Amino acid sequence: MGEFSGYCSIWHVEGKRHNDSLQTLTTATVWKNLNPFWGEEYTLHLPMGFHSLSFHVMDEDTIGHDDVIGKITLSKEAIGSQSKGLDSWLNLTRVDPDDEVQGEIHLSLELLKDTEKISLRCQVIEARDLAPRDISGTSDPFARVIFNNHSAETSIIKKTRFPHWGETLELELDPEELSEEGTVTVEVWDWDMVGKNDFLGKVEIPFACLHKTPLLEGWFRLLPLGNNEVDAGGKLGALRLKVRLVEDRILPSVYYQPLIDLLVESVISPTEVEDSSALTMLEEVTTVESRQDVAMTLVKIYLGQGLVVPFLDYLNTREVNHTTDPNTLFRSNSLASKAMEQFMKAVGMLYLHEVLKPIINRIFDEKKYIELDPCKIDLNRTRRISFKGAVSEAEVRDSSVEMLQGYLTSIIESIVGSVDQCPPVMRVAFKQLHKRVEEQFAEPENEDVKYLAISGFFFLRFFAPAILTPKLFQLRDQHADTRTSRTLLLLAKALQSVGNLGLQLGHGKEQWMAPLHPIILRSVASVKDFLDKLIDIDHDIGKVPQRAVFMPSVTVKEGYLHKHKAEGPQLLSRFAFKKRYFWLTSETLSYAKTPDWQVRSSIPIQCVCAVERVDENAFQQQNVMQVITQDNDGQLHTMYIQCKNVNELNQWLSAIRKVSIYNERMLPSFHPGAHRSGKWTCCLQADRAGCSRTHSAVTLGDWSDPLDPDVETQTIYKQLLQGRDKLRSVEETSLSTSSAWPGQSVAARLLAVIEDLEQAHATFQRREKEDATSVILNP
């Protein structure tokens, strides 16, 4: 068989609401491998009305178009039927273009009967989010209505996925056709000048429906042609997927405030740390599987409240006080250990990039063959080390030791020299942890415990995993090849030993790592000195700038984009986009013609008041976003930016939203369309006030996301809702005891908050059903 260099694309292809963009995520490419491993995790924020999720496995070609290997399509019902998520190997199926449909069409159907004639009138109003069939990324759609032997067609709308027809088609029927059990079909096609037209989807409406409801109007989901997918029996390969569907309705912020107040009270109230609180009860009802998600959510909540250091100090103090054996400190998957781990990822990613990226890039570029394990040395894979003839195992090992020592020395020197680069909030959190551990384990024989507590997080849970899998920490765009991956694994093992202060050297099974032991032991003193300097910071715990996730001097993101600045309400054509090089810091968004250009234009981040996607029909182009700013006179200005793909779009959305998350003049709403002919294309209104709610979160749900307190608090509410029976048991137990139990009021308040939120969700759900106007027919 040939070699495969492929990636997987995740498509949300059906059932979008108005103003929702096509959701597409793409993994990194695994080169020249028929058994690729990605290990990547993505979160798609989908509209409540979505119908299916598709995974396409592609073979990447450096020249020409990428080839489609096969696909897997999962319905919403199939994903939702598994409460803990779907985890399975699934066979790939062939891709049939007639099944790859998406979007909706707005129709009005009416059966007219009078003495002179009987007719079926179909008003074809518009369609949205049609599949792109042309090389330009658009289509040339027209619609056709069919009943029995009658048919009529609309005009062709060129180069759009959001056509507006506004045409009425009428079919004259014979009287005897009124009694037939037929089907009215509306098909949408992409017109091609050469070759056959491409199918874009269809709607089928039983004719009997028009007898019951003479006038039927609404948005109808487009369905595939009806070809049955054929399982190729594994001949195309199989894909292992872990998919979990979480459906949430996010309420207005005011409904979550009582729960926020309880969480804040847990860490700022003067009660003893051993007393029960909302946090301790949350940990009690949280499952081991969901603890990492809960930890990340809590870190974001307390970052938003400016209380992340007291939050971590509260959890860490409880953890330290409950630990009797220092060798087991933070070794479990407790909420405290998970919260510290997620905290470092949330606030320290840029710092990690500054420290590791140059070395990681060097390792990737050099692609050295490195191996210490004598059972794994393959002399056929080595490059000639000398000109003396065949290379021996000893020469391979000596060369590997020399190169690993060089890489490891560079990594350790970069880390121990990075005290001033480490975010202050991280340093203060470690200072508090050091203090708690030192108080609990004050004996001379436990002198190293206060260092191990910090280095266990810093080296073992932050730097070592980033070296092992740099793609997952955004240090590289692609996964490492087999050779580089082995080098990274050996370095990660060595760095873990550094983080353990060399205390476990020689006790493991991998004695072939012994040549690196001297350099590891020599680094222990410098690591301890580094940790002492790291916590030597004179910041009051209550005054640390905990919201300053980015340091002002750091460039958060940079690269070429296409920009267009809208002057006035009338938007220019799509050809007005100019290629510019952009830089984003926590203070400015600036751009110039080239990276070396002397003159830069800059926008202060504090002036940003919205960062949003733009509908594809606004410019008939994909991956466009808008940055809306407000000047000192209160005037709004919009800059439109086009990215080269959806992944880049998500990254820029995330980055700009994150640095502007605490701006005071953020807009509550925006227009996702363009202003043409005196009205906005998205809502057809002339009003400047937006028609869609703005967002503070990004499409991708990784740890670089900005804060979205409503979404985060909804996640905590769901955890508490699942553990409501446990909370009730705690409350009942406290009421039945003769002496008042400290947690009784907290349990009662939590139960009251859960009940109020449950009622609010029920009210909003009822309103949504009452206000529903769309008609989605399923076959």
Side-chain angles (χ1 to χ4, degrees):
M1 296 180 68
E3 291 180 319
F4 163 78
S5 301
Y7 58 91
C8 180
S9 287
I10 310 168
W11 293 48
H12 158 225
V13 296
E14 296 180 282
K16 299 174 190 62
R17 294 176 179 175
H18 196 30
N19 298 330
D20 284 331
S21 298
L22 174 67
Q23 301 281 341
T24 307
L25 301 176
T26 304
T27 68
T29 299
V30 177
W31 296 95
K32 299 181 180 180
N33 195 323
L34 291 172
N35 299 286
F37 174 81
W38 287 286
E40 298 180 33
E41 181 177 317
Y42 296 95
T43 298
L44 273 75
H45 293 265
L46 305 175
M48 296 295 286
F50 91 99
H51 296 282
S52 67
L53 200 63
S54 290
F55 300 80
H56 289 67
V57 179
M58 315 289 289
D59 179 25
E60 182 167 336
D61 293 327
T62 53
I63 300 175
H65 293 289
D66 299 339
D67 300 319
V68 182
I69 303 298
K71 72 161 187 174
I72 292 169
T73 298
L74 300 174
S75 67
K76 180 181 180 180
E77 292 72 25
I79 306 171
S81 63
Q82 306 290 329
S83 59
K84 293 187 177 181
L86 178 71
D87 182 356
S88 179
W89 282 97
L90 301 170
N91 287 337
L92 295 171
T93 61
R94 292 184 175 86
V95 175
D96 186 337
D98 289 339
D99 284 338
E100 303 301 303
V101 303
Q102 64 186 57
E104 298 170 329
I105 186 169
H106 191 185
L107 301 172
S108 172
L109 290 165
E110 187 176 9
L111 185 60
L112 302 173
K113 298 184 249 182
D114 55 39
T115 55
E116 296 182 3
K117 68 175 183 177
I118 301 169
S119 61
L120 174 64
R121 179 177 297 169
C122 178
Q123 186 178 5
V124 184
I125 304 169
E126 60 181 323
R128 61 193 181 201
D129 210 19
L130 299 178
R133 289 287 188 254
D134 297 337
I135 195 171
S136 63
T138 62
S139 291
D140 302 320
F142 69 92
R144 177 188 297 149
V145 59
I146 306 168
F147 180 68
N148 286 348
N149 295 320
H150 310 283
S151 67
E153 295 180 354
T154 67
S155 58
I156 300 166
I157 309 293
K158 295 290 187 68
K159 295 183 179 179
T160 182
R161 294 176 50 236
F162 298 80
H164 288 258
W165 289 288
E167 299 181 25
T168 300
L169 307 177
E170 197 163 306
L171 306 179
E172 274 197 43
L173 307 181
D174 298 327
E176 56 270 19
E177 290 181 286
L178 287 176
S179 61
E180 294 194 12
E181 298 295 325
T183 299
V184 179
T185 302
V186 179
E187 298 176 342
V188 183
W189 294 82
D190 167 46
W191 176 81
D192 284 331
M193 180 179 295
V194 180
K196 68 174 186 175
N197 298 330
D198 299 314
F199 181 73
L200 292 174
K202 69 176 180 179
V203 174
E204 292 183 335
I205 301 168
F207 191 64
C209 289
L210 295 174
H211 287 296
K212 299 175 184 177
T213 309
L215 179 61
L216 188 64
E217 182 187 352
W219 282 96
F220 296 82
R221 173 190 164 202
L222 290 170
L223 301 174
L225 194 58
N227 298 339
N228 294 323
E229 288 186 3
V230 178
D231 190 327
K235 292 180 180 179
L236 299 177
L239 186 66
R240 185 182 177 187
L241 299 171
K242 295 180 72 172
V243 186
R244 185 163 62 97
L245 178 64
V246 179
E247 292 192 78
D248 276 333
R249 178 181 289 99
I250 309 302
L251 302 175
S253 301
V254 64
Y255 290 93
Y256 296 111
Q257 195 58 47
L259 181 52
I260 290 287
D261 292 341
L262 274 175
L263 292 173
V264 167
E265 183 182 292
S266 297
V267 301
I268 65 172
S269 63
T271 58
E272 293 294 326
V273 76
E274 293 302 318
D275 290 348
S276 291
S277 67
L279 270 179
T280 59
M281 292 189 178
L282 176 61
E283 184 169 19
E284 284 293 320
V285 302
T286 300
T287 62
V288 175
E289 295 82 7
S290 61
R291 194 155 291 162
Q292 180 165 308
D293 291 339
V294 170
M296 186 72 251
T297 302
L298 287 172
V299 166
K300 288 183 177 182
I301 287 175
Y302 285 102
L303 273 171
Q305 297 294 320
L307 294 170
V308 73
V309 171
F311 159 67
L312 294 170
D313 186 45
Y314 176 84
L315 292 180
N316 290 338
T317 302
R318 289 181 61 89
E319 178 91 357
V320 170
N321 289 353
H322 292 163
T323 303
T324 56
D325 182 359
N327 294 317
T328 64
L329 185 62
F330 294 111
R331 296 299 183 184
S332 67
N333 288 322
S334 64
L335 188 60
S337 59
K338 287 295 182 184
M340 280 294 291
E341 185 178 334
Q342 298 304 315
F343 160 72
M344 290 188 295
K345 291 177 179 178
V347 305
M349 291 303 295
L350 286 174
Y351 163 58
L352 180 137
H353 280 214
E354 280 189 284
V355 173
L356 285 186
K357 201 163 189 175
I359 306 165
I360 295 295
N361 287 342
R362 192 175 116 211
I363 295 169
F364 270 75
D365 293 340
E366 292 180 355
K367 291 185 173 63
K368 300 287 189 181
Y369 177 75
I370 294 176
E371 185 54 75
L372 297 181
D373 187 350
C375 298
K376 294 183 181 293
I377 291 178
D378 183 357
L379 298 180
N380 294 325
R381 297 180 59 191
T382 63
R383 293 179 180 175
R384 179 165 296 185
I385 298 173
S386 69
F387 296 99
K388 296 179 181 179
V391 178
S392 67
E393 286 190 13
E395 288 176 306
V396 172
R397 202 158 43 245
D398 291 344
S399 172
S400 297
V401 169
E402 182 181 354
M403 287 184 285
L404 283 173
Q405 287 176 337
Y407 289 145
L408 187 59
T409 299
S410 296
I411 291 171
I412 294 172
E413 288 178 352
S414 184
I415 292 175
V416 299
S418 67
V419 172
D420 294 335
Q421 296 166 281
C422 187
V425 64
M426 187 183 292
R427 296 178 63 184
V428 174
F430 284 137
K431 180 178 182 178
Q432 290 298 113
L433 175 59
H434 179 276
K435 177 183 176 183
R436 302 305 180 194
V437 174
E438 192 173 39
E439 290 171 348
Q440 179 70 5
F441 302 102
E443 301 82 5
E445 63 268 23
N446 292 325
E447 171 65 22
D448 285 337
V449 177
K450 58 180 180 289
Y451 292 112
L452 289 167
I454 300 174
S455 64
F457 287 115
F458 198 78
F459 287 92
L460 275 65
R461 300 196 184 205
F462 192 44
F463 278 99
I467 291 171
L468 182 63
T469 52
K471 168 68 174 68
L472 302 186
F473 285 73
Q474 301 174 342
L475 286 164
R476 296 287 296 188
D477 293 332
Q478 304 291 347
H479 291 291
D481 58 30
T482 304
R483 175 177 291 189
T484 305
S485 182
R486 181 62 179 170
T487 301
L488 295 174
L489 174 61
L490 295 173
L491 286 170
K493 286 177 179 290
L495 195 65
Q496 285 181 325
S497 296
V498 172
N500 284 322
L501 305 182
L503 297 177
Q504 298 175 0
L505 291 182
H507 299 297
K509 297 179 180 179
E510 299 173 341
Q511 293 302 315
W512 42 265
M513 290 285 288
L516 293 180
H517 291 178
I519 190 173
I520 293 171
L521 292 172
R522 286 198 302 270
S523 68
V524 170
S526 60
V527 167
K528 285 185 176 181
D529 181 61
F530 162 71
L531 295 177
D532 285 333
K533 292 177 180 177
L534 195 70
I535 61 172
D536 185 16
I537 181 169
D538 296 326
H539 274 283
D540 187 334
I541 189 172
K543 297 180 180 179
V544 182
Q546 296 161 44
R547 297 184 178 187
V549 177
F550 290 120
M551 294 173 285
S553 60
V554 174
T555 298
V556 177
K557 192 165 179 60
E558 62 182 292
Y560 275 108
L561 299 167
H562 287 79
K563 69 161 283 287
H564 164 61
K565 187 174 182 180
E567 299 293 345
Q570 189 64 38
L571 197 62
L572 299 180
S573 74
R574 60 193 177 103
F575 301 106
F577 284 83
K578 306 289 186 183
K579 187 176 182 179
R580 295 292 183 265
Y581 196 87
F582 277 78
W583 296 266
L584 174 67
T585 72
S586 62
E587 296 179 338
T588 62
L589 175 66
S590 55
Y591 55 91
K593 286 186 177 181
T594 66
D596 302 324
W597 201 259
Q598 297 299 314
V599 180
R600 293 189 188 183
S601 301
S602 294
I603 300 172
I605 290 299
Q606 63 185 17
C607 296
V608 173
C609 49
V611 187
E612 298 291 340
R613 292 173 179 265
V614 177
D615 276 351
E616 291 179 21
N617 64 328
F619 299 100
Q620 300 301 327
Q621 295 208 69
Q622 298 177 325
N623 309 317
V624 178
M625 58 184 282
Q626 56 183 310
V627 179
I628 305 174
T629 56
Q630 191 172 35
D631 60 26
N632 293 331
D633 297 326
Q635 295 294 315
L636 296 178
H637 305 275
T638 304
M639 177 190 291
Y640 293 91
I641 298 174
Q642 184 183 27
C643 304
K644 63 182 178 182
N645 55 48
V646 70
N647 289 348
E648 186 178 69
L649 174 66
N650 285 331
Q651 290 164 10
W652 278 97
L653 275 171
S654 175
I656 301 176
R657 283 176 180 170
K658 190 167 186 178
V659 296
S660 62
I661 192 69
Y662 297 108
N663 287 0
E664 295 180 355
R665 296 184 292 182
M666 301 302 286
L667 294 177
S669 60
F670 77 107
H671 285 290
H675 195 272
R676 291 198 181 95
S677 303
K679 59 185 178 183
W680 294 91
T681 58
C682 44
C683 59
L684 304 181
Q685 302 296 316
D687 193 0
R688 171 74 198 187
C691 60
S692 296
R693 178 186 171 189
T694 53
H695 304 82
S696 60
V698 73
T699 349
L700 295 177
D702 55 20
W703 15 255
S704 64
D705 280 3
L707 313 177
D708 192 336
D710 296 342
V711 173
E712 291 143 14
T713 316
Q714 169 67 18
T715 301
I716 300 302
Y717 156 68
K718 287 189 68 176
Q719 285 293 324
L720 292 170
L721 185 63
Q722 292 173 8
R724 179 160 54 180
D725 289 344
K726 280 189 179 180
L727 290 174
R728 284 173 175 162
S729 177
V730 168
E731 178 64 8
E732 290 168 1
T733 301
S734 68
L735 292 174
S736 64
T737 56
S738 56
S739 60
W741 187 71
Q744 61 180 334
S745 60
V746 177
R749 290 167 67 190
L750 275 174
L751 287 168
V753 165
I754 293 170
E755 184 177 350
D756 289 345
L757 283 169
E758 193 174 29
Q759 290 178 355
H761 275 282
T763 300
F764 275 84
Q765 188 175 16
R766 186 171 61 251
R767 288 178 186 171
E768 285 178 2
K769 288 181 178 179
E770 292 171 355
D771 296 342
T773 56
S774 294
V775 179
I776 306 294
L777 292 185
N778 292 310

